[in-house]
Amino acid sequence: MSRTISSRLSSPEARLALIAVLVFVFMAVLSPDRFLSVQNLTSMAFQFPEFAILALAVTVTMLTGGIDLSVVGVSNLSAVVAAMILASIAGETAVGAGAVMWLILSMVVALSIGAVCGLFNGALVAFVGMPPILATLGSGLIFTGIAVALTGGSAVMGFPAAAAWLGNGLVLGVPVPLILFALLAAIVAFIVSRTAFGLKLIMFGANPRAARFAAINVNGLLLRVYMLSGALSAVAGMLVMSRANSAKADYGSSYLLLSILIAVLGGVNPYGGYGKVIGVVLAVLSMQFLSSGLNMLQVSNFARELIWGVLLIFVMLVNSPRAAALLRRERTT
Amino acid sequence: MSDTDPPLVEMTGVTKKYSGIVALSNVDFTIRAGEAVCLAGENGSGKSTLIKILAGVEPRNAGDIRFSGVAQGALSPRASADAGVMVIFQDFSLFPNLSVAENIAFSTQLSAQGALYRKAEARRIAAETLKRVGVDISLDARVESLPVVHKQLTAICRALAMDARLIIMDEPTTALTEREVKTLLGIIRRLKADGVAVLFVSHKLAEVLEVCEKVVVLRNGEKVAEGPATEFDSASLTRAMTGRDVAETPPDPLAADAPVLMKVAGLSKDGVFHDIGFDLRAGEVLGVSGLLGSGRTELAKALFGLVAPDTGTITLNGAPIPLGDPLKAAAAGIGYVPEDRLTEGLFLDQSIQRNVAVGRLDAYDRGAMLDLAGLWGEARDWLKKLSVKHSDPEAPVRSLSGGNQQRVVLARWLARGPKVLILNGPSVGVDVGSKSEIHDIIQALAHEGLGVIVISDDLPELLATCHRLLVMKGGRITDEIIGTDTDETDLGHRLAS
Amino acid sequence: MKNINLARNEVLVALVILAFCAFAALSDPRFLSIPTLTDLLRNGIILGIFSVGAMLVLVSGGIDVSFTAIAAFAMYTTTVFLLEYAPGLPWYVIFAIAMVLGALLGCINGVLIAVFRLPTLIVTLGTLSVFRGFLLTFVGSKMISALPPDMRGFSRMMMVRGTNADGSFYSLPWAFAALVIVVVLTWFILHKTMLGRSIFAIGGSDESARRIGIHVTRVQFFVYVYVGALAGLAGIIHASMSRLANPFDLVGLELSVIAAVVLGGARLAGGYGTLTGTLLGVALIVLVQNSLIVLGIPSTFQSITIGILILVGTGLPAWQAKRAEARAA
């Protein structure tokens, strides 16, 4: 299949912005009191950051032409370990500075675990030469498996109250998860467009062989990309843990497909070499507007899944040069 | 077969336009059974359009086509195939995962319209065609494991199995060694005796002239020359293809006191090259030549660290360079322009300026952030310096012509200020005009004191650019020649002997 | 022994299976018995049918993750339809309905992939959501345990039935024959028909396939329809055997199936894959899922074990290929 899919698009981001606005306006018109209510808007802001951050993780690996199927495994493993620190070392009763310190420590540990898991993935891809799909499929099972083995498959609960702040707190009326997502999206956008690392990873995604011939440190690059993906997944895991007030090896299993879906919806070329964070953000927003609007209209969770799938395929068709060509032929004959 | 029979293919006044742009204008062309014809032209001259029209892939806008005297309406791939017109593309279009027998018989079995795959018959067809061509390739070998020339023969056999009466070969000799070309020519003679016509389409035709009856030259979509092959040589072909004389001047002599820049000693890699040693002086252009498989490309890659030698040393200005690490080689000041520009040199869908700047990302890394203005500014300066013709530095590099693309890769390395530049096949797939401009660039670089290594099998190119030539054979340096001491014929003999 | 090529997945997987069985037999002599074998065969039916389909897609150069959703959709919709309109139909008609439904859903994948040439992984991720969402929203989301009588009847039809020396019962249902038929049919298509050879050809190089006149669109379309039909079959057999139509079932298995297939040596890049390898891969996954405990490894280590198997099984050949490339320069 051709690498030119993305290059022929005038701007998938522009189309996505249009979709996001249309969905928002449509929902607002359909149910103005409820959709535009402060309560709905904040609840949306609490909901989407966890999978949106996973989508960022998938995005960075997709830019290199790879993929990370282990994001959910990494996020659960990091969350489980963090939860064990919070539950058994800090304990439910910890308060004040002590609790905050434990929370920070657990976050540092979670991030390190995420990075180490990513390093492992990166090593499989860079040094062993495995296709990323298989490397992260296998490692994802291992990460999940470790989380299962650590917990015996049950949920870890009983955190200090401070742990809830991460997923449920407000700063100046803005939900903490939203702030976190905005921050991470800005950082990833900055990395991709403004740093040597970011440009190299896009060039690598465009043509891995030419990257090697251009004296780019390909192995180092892959290690760092998957580490970044792992660390982002760990942050998402901490959010899930805080919001659920527990951690479990099989939380958020539907998030894997969702995050890949968002990345592709956001215009990231699954073959690598093209993708913008703003596109991913717009895709996340469209999905969230759509699903909470549908929620309001009493549409079931399952219908949401249906609509996501339809949206993804629709966007792919719109962006597909082949579909455009077929349509043109239709018109001329 | 006599001349009174209608020709196998007769095109008259064929014209083709792509969205208003004329690709082929009023071209007449005939080929007879048992005849071999060279169709020459630079990139963009209309050669590929002519093939596509003959193969029925593209419709013509005007003109008549007759197959064996029978006028043809709109052609389709099927109609052309039924008339026995078979194209062997440069990539051979084989299935690497399937056996030789299946590759040869696949089209035949497809056109038989049967639902079942008849393995025994596939083997019979394959064995027969291989015998007809007179080569011995294992029927059960997977095509991916074959050497290039056997892949090509498999493709020829596939065409023959389909009762080919005209085989069109697109750039047939680019990937072959001189010995393999000889094998190929032997087979072509056999086919001609059998009544099969062959059309060679290439921009490098000197090697096939000896088996051809006729030469047809296209330029800008028009037929500009046609005549018996005996009337052409490589100089007159070049003149016809470019429309001008391209005089190559040998390089200015090297200063006698030019210091040694790079020293290579005892470089070996098991089964690939052995005990390679040479000095490269500042301002010197050193040619490395040899047939494909002589180890020249592997040596070039080893100098840049893309291949790890088992033993040996490379020093630059007296400092040793770690082996097998392109990052360290590049950091030490060695640059490498690869042979296969499209897959190894360029990021085709990325912008022109990014393709230049990719070599300078670390230089413009200001701590956390890139100095983008500086980075793009420098890239554009280099595009100007090497006079890359482009409309927009942010357009994909894919949109450039071969010669301009090659300059983009050169610009990437020159921006890094290298001390030694290794150019592998610097003018492969570049039209004749751009070729001499690239040669001028090489000379200018040498004047500035760079050491340049040119790896090539293009003898005129080597003579026009190099002070000194190393000849490789079987992984060893077998000859060292001062550029002014030799000519094309002598060099050709030394390479092949 | 010298001729055994460890880089070939089939050999590697077969050796691992042998070692697994040897250790299992050492730690529990009862492991090597007919009941163990029939259990493994029974447990391999659904995974086996899925894997044959997934292998076909990989050979053609694509990847399909939607087949589990197709299976759940076909199985549940067929059941609902039968209970509503024709509960008395014989099992073979029921199976045919499920397969046709599966094939129809496969058509959707086929159109998107073969006609519009969209990337297969992403398309099937999308259709996975669509099929599942549609099923749960519009068809139903409640488990049905009162299946049509002939579906229950089918699950009671046994090929082999007997009593072991220690008095334990064993049996192998006729459903296993479905796997055998699927394997034989697929083998015939892949190796004895031009269609099957064309699937290999497209996986090897779709551009070349187009040039020599293979109807790439048609062949790809067939692949996805065939896989859809197989998924429908697997779904309905699954419901019969578990005597429960659960719309939430099956989805989630897709990655294990792909794991089994790549363990068996099929390549993601297309053009390579064998039925032997695929079935060995399935056998290994089923062994790990069901008999890990015999080796004294707690079942919580199942997913770690499968993960390691995938990494070793696909990593070893990848690493050898990488080294060979470096050697050859």
Side-chain angles (χ1 to χ4, degrees):
Chain A
M1 244 154 285
S2 86
R3 289 180 157 276
T4 59
I5 289 178
S6 64
S7 71
R8 292 194 207 166
L9 310 179
S10 55
S11 163
E13 290 79 19
R15 266 174 254 182
L16 261 171
L18 188 69
I19 290 179
V21 170
L22 284 180
V23 173
F24 187 86
V25 170
F26 182 71
M27 292 302 170
V29 169
L30 219 56
S31 171
D33 326 330
R34 278 182 298 165
F35 188 77
L36 293 177
S37 70
V38 176
Q39 190 202 356
N40 181 48
L41 294 177
T42 30
S43 109
M44 283 200 280
F46 279 113
Q47 277 166 23
F48 75 79
E50 47 198 49
F51 60 79
I53 293 172
L54 287 180
L56 288 178
V58 172
T59 299
V60 291
T61 57
M62 233 180 225
L63 286 174
T64 65
I67 197 166
D68 190 347
L69 299 180
S70 73
V71 285
V72 173
V74 173
S75 78
N76 282 325
L77 178 59
S78 330
V80 159
V81 175
M84 290 171 99
I85 294 175
L86 288 172
S88 39
I89 306 182
E92 206 163 350
T93 51
V95 284
V100 172
M101 192 200 80
W102 284 117
L103 182 62
I104 291 172
L105 179 75
S106 68
M107 284 179 69
V108 171
V109 170
L111 277 175
S112 325
I113 290 177
V116 170
C117 291
L119 191 66
F120 181 67
N121 284 333
L124 290 176
V125 175
F127 297 120
V128 184
M130 289 179 76
I133 294 189
L134 297 181
T136 56
L137 170 65
S139 72
L141 284 169
I142 294 179
F143 302 146
T144 307
I146 296 175
V148 173
L150 284 176
T151 58
S154 48
V156 182
M157 289 181 279
F159 311 145
W165 176 81
L166 203 55
N168 305 292
L170 291 171
V171 172
L172 303 172
V174 185
V176 176
L178 182 65
I179 298 175
L180 217 49
F181 170 66
L183 205 66
L184 291 175
I187 290 174
V188 173
F190 179 83
I191 289 178
V192 168
S193 58
R194 294 288 156 130
T195 67
F197 168 64
L199 242 62
K200 282 181 195 168
L201 87 86
I202 292 203
M203 296 306 263
F204 175 84
N207 185 348
R209 201 170 159 78
R212 202 166 105 80
F213 278 74
I216 287 178
N217 182 355
V218 169
N219 290 345
L221 184 76
L222 284 170
L223 291 181
R224 285 193 283 166
V225 166
Y226 283 89
M227 275 173 78
L228 177 61
S229 169
L232 287 167
S233 307
V235 176
M238 291 298 287
L239 280 185
V240 174
M241 180 198 82
S242 173
R243 265 163 50 81
N245 204 24
S246 62
K248 194 161 175 264
D250 61 355
Y251 275 163
S253 45
S254 66
Y255 281 178
L256 174 58
L257 296 192
L258 186 58
S259 52
I260 296 173
L261 214 134
I262 291 173
V264 176
L265 198 60
V268 181
N269 184 343
Y271 301 113
Y274 182 85
K276 291 191 170 146
V277 172
I278 183 69
V280 177
V281 172
L282 287 168
V284 166
L285 291 180
S286 318
M287 296 276 251
Q288 185 59 44
F289 294 154
L290 196 61
S291 62
S292 53
L294 294 170
N295 218 11
M296 228 139 279
L297 303 171
Q298 317 270 295
V299 175
S300 79
N301 282 343
F302 309 129
R304 252 190 265 177
E305 204 177 326
L306 166 65
I307 289 166
W308 288 342
V310 170
L311 189 63
L312 175 73
I313 291 171
F314 172 75
V315 169
M316 301 245 306
L317 279 176
V318 168
N319 290 347
S320 143
R322 171 90 182 152
L326 287 179
L327 268 179
R328 259 200 307 280
R329 206 168 64 188
E330 211 65 349
R331 247 177 259 149
T332 50
T333 50
Chain B
M1 240 16 93
S2 73
D3 277 1
T4 53
D5 286 336
L8 201 57
V9 171
E10 186 171 16
M11 302 171 94
T12 34
V14 169
T15 298
K16 173 72 189 172
K17 292 176 189 159
Y18 289 104
S19 48
I21 296 162
V22 179
L24 214 52
S25 158
N26 204 18
V27 170
D28 296 346
F29 174 82
T30 52
I31 187 165
R32 296 180 168 277
E35 196 177 42
V37 175
C38 275
L39 179 63
E42 301 195 69
N43 293 329
S45 61
K47 296 178 307 213
S48 348
T49 310
L50 191 127
I51 307 180
K52 284 181 189 155
I53 289 175
L54 265 181
V57 179
E58 294 278 0
R60 59 188 186 272
N61 296 110
D64 294 323
I65 297 180
R66 285 166 187 273
F67 288 152
S68 304
V70 181
Q72 304 288 316
L75 281 177
S76 67
R78 167 133 286 173
S80 292
D82 287 348
V85 178
M86 300 285 159
V87 183
I88 296 174
F89 291 96
Q90 205 176 349
D91 64 3
F92 308 142
S93 298
L94 296 170
F95 303 109
N97 56 332
L98 300 181
S99 70
V100 170
E102 204 170 348
N103 266 287
I104 292 177
F106 212 116
S107 317
T108 321
Q109 298 219 341
L110 263 186
S111 59
Q113 304 266 328
L116 294 186
Y117 166 57
R118 296 179 304 278
K119 192 173 178 185
E121 186 174 308
R123 292 177 61 89
R124 187 184 57 76
I125 294 172
E128 265 172 24
T129 31
L130 281 169
K131 209 170 140 204
R132 183 172 162 201
V133 174
V135 287
D136 190 24
I137 308 175
S138 160
L139 288 180
D140 297 312
R142 273 196 179 156
V143 162
E144 64 183 345
S145 66
L146 298 180
V148 182
V149 65
H150 283 177
K151 286 182 186 162
Q152 188 173 46
L153 294 176
T154 306
I156 293 176
C157 287
R158 177 165 75 185
L160 290 175
M162 285 293 281
D163 298 322
R165 302 182 62 202
L166 167 61
I167 296 182
I168 303 174
M169 301 185 77
D170 190 9
E171 306 284 352
T173 55
T174 17
L176 301 188
T177 64
E178 196 155 322
R179 204 162 306 151
E180 289 172 333
V181 170
K182 288 221 169 71
T183 315
L184 176 69
L185 296 186
I187 285 162
I188 299 299
R189 287 198 181 90
R190 239 177 130 126
L191 294 179
K192 285 168 61 181
D194 228 3
V196 177
V198 180
L199 175 62
F200 291 106
V201 183
S202 179
H203 59 253
K204 189 176 150 194
L205 286 161
E207 332 177 83
V208 297
L209 274 178
E210 55 175 290
V211 293
C212 290
E213 276 78 26
K214 196 168 76 178
V215 173
V216 172
V217 183
L218 292 182
R219 191 168 70 223
N220 297 328
E222 288 176 40
K223 186 164 81 177
V224 290
E226 180 172 18
T230 45
E231 289 175 7
F232 286 87
D233 58 19
S234 55
S236 59
L237 260 181
T238 304
R239 205 175 311 120
M241 279 159 67
T242 56
R244 58 193 151 121
D245 269 310
V246 184
E248 294 279 13
T249 46
D252 298 338
L254 183 63
D257 59 347
V260 170
L261 195 58
M262 183 158 94
K263 224 175 167 56
V264 176
L267 210 60
S268 297
K269 182 172 173 69
D270 190 31
V272 184
F273 49 76
H274 308 280
D275 197 25
I276 304 291
F278 61 82
D279 290 349
L280 176 70
R281 298 200 286 163
E284 185 180 28
V285 182
L286 176 67
V288 176
S289 192
L291 307 176
L292 271 180
S294 63
R296 58 179 162 96
T297 290
E298 291 77 4
L299 172 64
K301 286 185 177 175
L303 295 177
F304 183 62
L306 287 162
V307 163
D310 304 325
T311 54
T313 54
I314 304 172
T315 52
L316 193 62
N317 286 333
I321 296 173
L323 299 177
D325 186 344
L327 303 178
K328 297 222 168 81
I334 300 180
Y336 179 68
V337 175
E339 191 173 19
D340 188 341
R341 201 166 42 238
L342 301 184
T343 66
E344 294 174 342
L346 292 169
F347 305 87
L348 285 173
D349 288 328
Q350 299 288 333
S351 69
I352 299 167
Q353 65 180 10
R354 277 191 179 186
N355 267 282
V356 176
V358 66
R360 294 287 284 163
L361 293 173
D362 291 325
Y364 284 87
D365 196 350
R366 304 274 175 268
M369 167 170 189
L370 272 177
D371 169 12
L372 284 180
L375 187 67
W376 302 143
E378 189 194 56
R380 287 170 196 209
D381 285 349
W382 276 104
L383 290 174
K384 206 175 296 163
K385 265 186 227 169
L386 293 188
S387 46
V388 176
K389 288 182 207 76
H390 64 280
S391 49
D392 176 5
E394 297 193 29
V397 78
R398 183 188 284 285
S399 61
L400 296 180
S401 70
N404 282 310
Q405 287 181 345
Q406 187 69 317
R407 274 180 258 203
V408 167
V409 185
L410 271 170
R412 176 193 306 161
W413 283 107
L414 294 181
R416 295 176 67 117
K419 299 188 183 80
V420 173
L421 194 58
I422 304 165
L423 304 163
N424 194 353
S427 59
V428 172
V430 166
D431 56 60
V432 180
S434 301
K435 192 169 173 176
S436 72
E437 288 169 29
I438 285 174
H439 293 168
D440 293 343
I441 294 175
I442 293 175
Q443 300 212 6
L445 292 176
H447 269 295
E448 288 168 24
L450 248 77
V452 182
I453 299 178
V454 174
I455 289 107
S456 177
D457 57 358
D458 183 333
L459 305 183
E461 169 167 284
L462 289 168
L463 291 171
T465 52
C466 298
H467 295 109
R468 194 156 55 104
L469 288 165
L470 302 176
V471 176
M472 284 186 77
K473 225 174 285 174
R476 291 173 194 278
I477 295 179
T478 54
D479 228 341
E480 181 178 340
I481 313 159
I482 302 303
T484 47
D485 291 356
T486 184
D487 58 30
E488 206 176 322
T489 331
D490 170 59
L491 193 54
H493 283 310
R494 292 191 194 219
L495 276 175
S497 66
Chain C
M1 281 305 272
K2 260 191 177 165
N3 288 329
I4 292 183
N5 180 0
L6 279 177
R8 278 195 61 188
N9 281 63
E10 287 150 50
V11 180
L12 196 70
V13 173
L15 288 177
V16 173
I17 291 176
L18 283 179
F20 190 107
C21 293
F23 280 111
L26 281 178
S27 64
D28 180 1
R30 279 173 308 172
F31 179 80
L32 293 184
S33 64
I34 297 176
T36 316
L37 182 67
T38 53
D39 278 354
L40 290 176
L41 292 179
R42 189 171 44 238
N43 288 322
I45 297 171
I46 306 299
L47 201 63
I49 298 178
F50 277 151
S51 298
V52 168
M55 189 270 281
L56 208 66
V57 178
L58 284 188
V59 168
S60 79
I63 188 166
D64 185 354
V65 292
S66 72
F67 57 86
T68 52
I70 294 182
F73 190 105
M75 166 265 278
Y76 191 77
T77 310
T78 307
T79 313
V80 169
F81 169 81
L82 289 171
L83 289 173
E84 187 80 10
Y85 301 104
L89 284 180
W91 61 268
Y92 45 87
V93 179
I94 301 178
F95 281 27
I97 295 174
M99 288 177 74
V100 169
L101 259 178
L104 286 175
L105 297 184
C107 279
I108 298 178
N109 283 335
V111 168
L112 293 171
I113 291 165
V115 179
F116 291 106
R117 305 205 191 135
L118 300 180
T120 56
L121 175 67
I122 311 297
V123 163
T124 52
L125 273 175
T127 51
L128 170 74
S129 306
V130 172
F131 298 155
R132 186 176 142 93
F134 190 91
L135 170 70
L136 296 172
T137 313
F138 297 110
V139 184
S141 53
K142 289 196 187 65
M143 291 187 219
I144 301 171
S145 53
L147 296 184
D150 223 46
M151 273 172 81
R152 274 177 288 160
F154 178 79
S155 69
R156 281 194 290 268
M157 291 160 61
M158 296 297 161
M159 281 170 94
V160 182
R161 195 195 295 270
T163 318
N164 210 19
D166 60 2
S168 57
F169 294 105
Y170 63 84
S171 62
L172 184 62
W174 270 103
F176 185 74
L179 173 61
V180 176
I181 293 170
V182 163
V183 169
V184 172
L185 179 67
T186 308
W187 175 84
F188 182 81
I189 293 175
L190 276 182
H191 296 281
K192 294 289 163 191
T193 69
M194 287 311 287
L195 178 64
R197 300 322 291 166
S198 302
I199 296 175
F200 275 102
I202 291 173
S205 164
D206 61 342
E207 187 57 39
S208 303
R210 249 175 219 117
R211 281 186 184 157
I212 71 162
I214 294 175
H215 292 282
V216 174
T217 309
R218 234 184 268 174
V219 174
Q220 277 184 333
F221 190 73
F222 166 80
V223 167
Y224 290 92
V225 172
Y226 185 73
V227 169
L230 289 189
L233 178 68
I236 200 79
I237 290 179
H238 175 76
S240 303
M241 282 174 49
S242 53
R243 299 177 198 186
L244 178 72
N246 178 356
F248 294 94
D249 246 359
L250 298 171
V251 173
L253 268 182
E254 56 278 346
L255 293 186
S256 308
V257 171
I258 290 168
V261 178
V262 294
L263 268 180
R267 292 193 206 162
L268 282 182
Y272 296 86
T274 63
L275 283 160
T276 326
T278 302
L279 293 177
L280 284 169
V282 171
L284 185 54
I285 298 274
V286 172
L287 263 179
V288 170
Q289 281 175 346
N290 294 281
S291 305
L292 209 52
I293 198 81
V294 185
L295 292 184
I297 302 173
S299 59
T300 45
F301 279 76
Q302 218 186 75
S303 105
I304 298 184
T305 313
I306 296 180
I308 291 173
L309 282 175
I310 294 175
L311 293 189
V312 174
T314 59
L316 207 58
W319 188 61
Q320 277 173 334
K322 199 180 156 98
R323 269 199 356 191
E325 202 181 325
R327 252 201 315 278

